[in-house]
Amino acid sequence: MPPSSLRVVYAFAREMHPKTSDVFIQYGTAGFRTKANLLEHVVYRMGLLAVIRSRVKNGRTIGIMITASHNLEPDNGVKLVDPDGEMLEQSWEEIATRLANVSDNDLESTTEQVIKQVNADMALKASVFIGMDTRYTSPRLAAAAANGVIALKGTPKEFGIVTTPQLHFCVKCRNDNTYGTPTEEGYYEKIVGAFKKVCQKLPVYGEYNTTLYVDGANGVGGKKLNIIRKSLDGELDLNLYNLGGNGGKLNLNCGADFVKVSQKPPVGVEHAPFQRVASLDGDGDRIVYYYIDDKEKMHLLDGDRIATLLASYVTELLRAAEATHLKLGLVQTAYANGASTKYITEELKVPVSCVKTGVKHLHHAALEYDVGVYFEANGHGTVVYSAEAKKTISKIAEEGEPEQRKAAQLLLDIVDMTNETVGDAISDLFLVETVLRARGQNVRQWLAAYTDLPCRQLKVTVKDRNVISTSDAERLCTSPAGLQARVSAQAARHGSGRAFVRASGTEDVVRVYAEADTQESADKLAAEVAQAVFDLAGGVGDRPEIPA
Ligand code: G16
């Protein structure tokens, strides 16, 4: 494409998607995320960037997902998906931020600089898949993304409303047809098909029952489960709540983030004592489980629990298949409950590593293992299998002794049920149900594996959250001066006390996490640390308080 054709980049910007705000926007934990009305020019420019990225990758397909995931309705955002279905390569985040913030007048020259910098061959074809969540602002933003793609003569393909993981899956399949068919139907065929296959091999027994309640967060995940529900042949009886409509607002007092952070059940769900409930987030990439007991106390089974459940079951199958030379490891973040980490190392005897928040960090660390299980405590995670692991398991499934073959065949179904590209609430739901069914367990038995340390999370609003810097996978705060000393001193005053602070990459807040041996201590520690953030990092508004 000759540089003169870049004129259209400016023309589209000026005529259709002008930059109307000077607010600086940064590529964060999972792309750009802010109020929807500040995003149209950003999304248009990400359309441009996706085309350049596709050409750098020799015309392989790139994904653009319009979503603000767990954030409330007025927000929106955009995530870029790389050819293997993983998050955009980190070295490109700076380029994305630069492109998003230049003036319309400088857009043409900046685009030209970027093309030179990354050495993109603009004569190549470029393909971009675009998906969106259910927010009312998403169609307009998806159209802006498509215009960005067209402005650089790429080919956009719009998927309409899909979950974020469905788009990741389709991108991967488009670039690697051995992974599946790049359509929503192809996704159901592979993931739900594998679950139904497993159900034929694992009859229901023991304490497991096939009824599952689901909180859909009034987002896209619940809607897609409603489609899947009809095809499950009674193997799983899904009772769906918070599907949108009836005045229910996206992620408001419901959904995985609300349930995990507030440690409260969502509104809009009818509860029966000891009934398993799964709570999804707005774009279907996170899931947590919980149940209410006969004294109306809520018991949470979060991402740590799902990780330990999956890791222990896959370990069991690898042992039965006599494939223990395949190295299984688990990846967590600083938010992982201390009791889960202890259980993983001491009971499961599985190696565990801790990385910074953000699926992009966990995913890459998990690829270091033959079987890498990664989960954030907030319910975002999956399992990745190396090519070598898949080859070994397939060979045993064909040539092993009968018992080995049985375990390896089950493992292959589990691999098919897993969306290896990114954390996926729907795929994770089927994986959890598979393990509970295989073990004949109810939720109480699942919870009994270990006892969580009580914890509390708070948010503090400050003038500029970038004043917070951290090291050691966000477990230590290196600035502002004096903050870490206060956090450490306060944590030391509580039995099993541990706390950290970090700037959110998806909301304009500083996050505080605290855990201790009693809920009272964890609450007190969180409040003390939040106060320290407020004092030393430029808190604004009201003093942070523990939600009732
Ligand atoms: C995104 C990321 C997650 C991260 C979460 C919160 O999730 O994909 O890895 O844990 O944001 O990040 P932060 O604490 O930086 O705000 P989602 O589900 O909102 O896309």
Side-chain angles (χ1 to χ4, degrees):
M1 183 184 242
S4 60
S5 327
L6 292 180
R7 235 17 237 158
V8 73
V9 165
Y10 169 67
F12 271 41
R14 195 195 51 207
E15 297 301 325
M16 289 185 286
H17 311 296
K19 184 168 182 285
T20 52
S21 152
D22 282 333
V23 179
F24 182 79
I25 184 159
Q26 196 166 357
Y27 201 97
T29 311
F32 294 101
R33 208 173 281 192
T34 185
K35 295 281 164 275
N37 59 356
L38 298 177
L39 271 171
E40 192 168 320
H41 68 282
V42 176
V43 174
Y44 164 69
R45 291 154 184 228
M46 288 310 102
L48 303 174
L49 189 67
V51 171
I52 299 172
R53 181 92 184 133
S54 172
R55 292 193 171 124
V56 165
K57 293 284 170 188
N58 280 321
R60 295 176 86 209
T61 295
I62 298 294
I64 297 181
M65 182 70 196
I66 306 296
T67 180
S69 196
H70 75 273
N71 297 43
L72 295 176
E73 188 92 43
D75 286 359
N76 213 326
V78 54
K79 300 182 184 180
L80 263 73
V81 182
D82 255 358
D84 283 325
E86 74 281 35
M87 303 280 193
L88 175 70
E89 184 182 304
Q90 275 175 60
S91 63
W92 279 57
E93 292 182 3
E94 175 276 318
I95 301 174
T97 300
R98 197 177 349 136
L99 204 59
N101 287 288
V102 291
S103 67
D104 285 336
N105 282 336
D106 291 336
L107 184 59
E108 186 182 331
S109 58
T110 306
T111 305
E112 199 177 336
Q113 281 161 18
V114 171
I115 291 168
K116 280 208 186 102
Q117 179 191 340
V118 298
N119 203 13
D121 178 353
M122 297 303 279
L124 291 176
K125 286 194 170 145
S127 150
V128 181
F129 283 3
I130 301 169
M132 63 180 175
D133 70 12
T134 52
R135 284 162 213 263
Y136 66 92
T137 52
S138 290
R140 187 170 50 83
L141 294 175
N147 281 338
V149 175
I150 292 163
L152 280 184
K153 297 200 170 11
T155 309
K157 178 169 174 174
E158 297 197 54
F159 282 69
I161 294 173
V162 284
T163 68
T164 296
Q166 285 178 331
L167 187 80
H168 283 251
F169 174 91
C170 290
V171 169
K172 166 78 178 165
C173 294
R174 176 69 184 77
N175 294 316
D176 171 5
N177 61 15
T178 64
Y179 198 69
T181 311
T183 59
E184 195 177 319
E185 293 67 36
Y187 171 93
Y188 298 137
E189 217 168 274
K190 185 170 179 195
I191 287 173
V192 184
F195 176 71
K196 285 162 71 177
K197 222 163 133 192
V198 158
C199 290
Q200 299 306 308
K201 298 178 185 167
L202 300 172
V204 173
Y205 80 102
E207 297 295 313
Y208 178 76
N209 77 67
T210 55
T211 302
L212 175 67
Y213 289 16
V214 181
D215 156 28
N218 293 311
V220 52
K223 287 190 192 307
K224 299 303 177 189
L225 280 175
N226 206 14
I227 298 175
I228 293 171
R229 190 166 63 98
K230 296 162 195 140
S231 68
L232 288 172
D233 308 335
E235 297 294 1
L236 191 59
D237 179 17
L238 293 175
N239 290 257
L240 305 174
Y241 300 89
N242 294 333
L243 294 184
N246 299 329
K249 288 249 181 332
L250 182 70
N251 296 324
L252 186 66
N253 299 323
C254 63
D257 197 62
F258 171 82
V259 171
K260 167 69 183 157
V261 175
S262 70
Q263 306 182 24
K264 284 191 203 149
V267 297
V269 177
E270 288 166 41
H271 292 103
F274 302 109
Q275 175 56 54
R276 249 176 14 263
V277 191
S279 197
L280 275 50
D281 77 338
D283 65 339
D285 63 4
R286 293 197 212 170
I287 184 169
V288 296
Y289 274 70
Y290 69 89
Y291 69 91
I292 310 278
D293 68 18
D294 49 0
K295 302 204 171 47
E296 297 199 4
K297 183 172 185 272
M298 186 179 110
H299 301 266
L300 183 67
L301 294 127
D302 62 6
D304 299 339
R305 296 282 178 173
I306 299 175
T308 48
L309 185 82
L310 300 183
S312 63
Y313 186 60
V314 172
T315 303
E316 246 172 70
L317 290 179
L318 288 173
R319 219 173 276 146
E322 294 177 29
T324 45
H325 61 285
L326 294 174
K327 200 162 170 252
L328 181 142
L330 214 147
V331 186
Q332 301 186 311
T333 70
Y335 289 103
N337 196 282
S340 75
T341 314
K342 197 160 177 255
Y343 173 74
I344 294 158
T345 42
E346 293 177 9
E347 300 281 323
L348 300 182
K349 303 207 185 307
V350 162
V352 56
S353 39
C354 180
V355 300
K356 277 163 49 172
T357 300
V359 167
K360 55 192 177 192
H361 302 296
L362 288 106
H363 189 89
H364 287 116
L367 292 174
E368 300 288 315
Y369 300 103
D370 290 312
V371 181
V373 181
Y374 71 83
F375 264 88
E376 295 183 298
N378 63 22
H380 208 150
T382 188
V383 187
V384 287
Y385 299 84
S386 69
E388 182 55 33
K390 286 181 188 167
K391 207 167 113 193
T392 306
I393 300 166
S394 302
K395 192 158 188 278
I396 299 173
E398 280 185 12
E399 299 169 8
E401 296 300 319
E403 283 307 303
Q404 284 177 279
R405 279 215 309 269
K406 213 167 127 196
Q409 282 161 2
L410 210 45
L411 259 173
L412 288 180
D413 294 333
I414 284 174
V415 173
D416 276 347
M417 208 185 298
T418 307
N419 184 348
E420 292 179 76
T421 63
V422 78
D424 181 337
I426 292 177
S427 152
D428 291 339
L429 179 151
F430 287 118
L431 288 167
V432 167
E433 294 303 313
T434 297
V435 181
L436 295 178
R437 182 175 172 129
R439 292 181 168 168
Q441 280 190 342
N442 61 29
V443 262
R444 275 178 289 172
Q445 292 165 316
W446 176 15
L447 191 75
Y450 63 88
T451 308
D452 272 318
L453 280 169
C455 63
R456 176 66 63 193
Q457 286 188 51
L458 293 177
K459 297 179 191 180
V460 186
T461 307
V462 297
K463 262 184 243 112
D464 174 12
R465 69 191 198 275
N466 291 316
V467 297
I468 303 275
S469 317
T470 60
S471 67
D472 189 23
E474 302 178 320
R475 290 173 288 196
L476 286 176
C477 177
T478 49
S479 76
L483 182 52
Q484 183 57 47
R486 249 173 95 170
V487 173
S488 303
Q490 281 151 351
R493 273 190 229 121
H494 298 274
S496 304
R498 181 173 74 90
F500 66 89
V501 306
R502 55 175 288 277
S504 161
T506 61
E507 295 173 57
D508 194 7
V509 294
V510 175
R511 298 199 194 279
V512 169
Y513 175 86
E515 66 184 30
D517 53 5
T518 65
Q519 190 62 54
E520 205 188 342
S521 274
D523 288 351
K524 194 151 184 282
L525 178 55
E528 288 162 350
V529 171
Q531 186 58 46
V533 172
F534 194 86
D535 294 343
L536 297 176
V540 291
D542 293 338
R543 188 174 176 263
E545 276 176 27
I546 313 254

